[in-house]
Amino acid sequence: MGNRLLGLVFVLLVVTGCGKTVQGIAQPDPSAVRTSGSTAPTTGSTVEGPVPLAQLEGTWTGTYVCAQGETALTLTIERAVNSAARTVFAFGPTPGNPAVPQGSFDMDTRYVDRTLNFTQRSWIQRPDNYLMIDLIADAVAVNSISGKVSKAAGCTTFTVTKARV
């Protein structure tokens, strides 16, 4: 009788969840995300963000800050295909920092967990002693994108605005 009662109490606790409400946000299982043939991160989910990726196509200009100081930045975002867009990251001197060389590299751009990620791929024009960087945009609007420079020591932020056509 004692084991039956204990078993019944256990079943009731499991079914009712001990009467507690658990607060939180549902997160996708990272192992369930599929990125066949893609170089996208394997964690998180690819979803649209506050501005659909298709609306971000075009040329964006601004600056970013790394060890060399403020640097001119042009992001050219191409038409999105399968939730990702090719982007060319081009950099160079600013009036206040004329010694920065010009360079450029390809990136993959996609939303991951509603955050716009620009992930380095390959060099187009590499100046000596420069490394590719990634960008994580935490503020995305139809006419401006800003956020953090990641995976690079001495780098902080970037901001760009869309060129008017």
Side-chain angles (χ1 to χ4, degrees), residues 89-119:
F89 179 109
F91 61 92
T94 62
N97 194 5
V100 173
Q102 292 188 347
S104 59
F105 53 90
D106 279 323
M107 305 184 96
D108 283 325
T109 303
R110 68 181 67 236
Y111 280 104
V112 177
D113 295 332
R114 298 186 53 80
T115 300
L116 189 61
N117 288 277
F118 296 84
T119 306

Side-chain angles (χ1 to χ4, degrees), residues 33 35 40-41 43-48 82-84 110-114:
V33 176
T35 58
T43 60
S45 61
T46 302
V47 297
E48 285 293 328
N82 297 328
S83 300
R110 68 181 67 236
Y111 280 104
V112 177
D113 295 332
R114 298 186 53 80

Side-chain angles (χ1 to χ4, degrees), residues 28-34 42-44:
D29 178 359
S31 65
V33 176
R34 303 213 190 288
T42 57
T43 60

Side-chain angles (χ1 to χ4, degrees), residues 64-71 97 100:
Y64 72 100
V65 178
C66 276
Q68 72 274 10
E70 184 178 71
T71 304
N97 194 5
V100 173

Side-chain angles (χ1 to χ4, degrees), residues 20-104:
K20 294 182 180 178
T21 302
V22 177
Q23 297 293 324
I25 299 171
Q27 296 292 322
D29 178 359
S31 65
V33 176
R34 303 213 190 288
T35 58
S36 61
S38 171
T39 58
T42 57
T43 60
S45 61
T46 302
V47 297
E48 285 293 328
V51 177
L53 193 55
Q55 291 183 14
L56 300 177
E57 180 181 342
T59 303
W60 299 75
T61 58
T63 59
Y64 72 100
V65 178
C66 276
Q68 72 274 10
E70 184 178 71
T71 304
L73 171 61
T74 299
L75 296 174
T76 304
I77 303 173
E78 296 182 358
R79 181 176 306 271
V81 177
N82 297 328
S83 300
R86 176 183 182 251
T87 298
V88 173
F89 179 109
F91 61 92
T94 62
N97 194 5
V100 173
Q102 292 188 347
S104 59

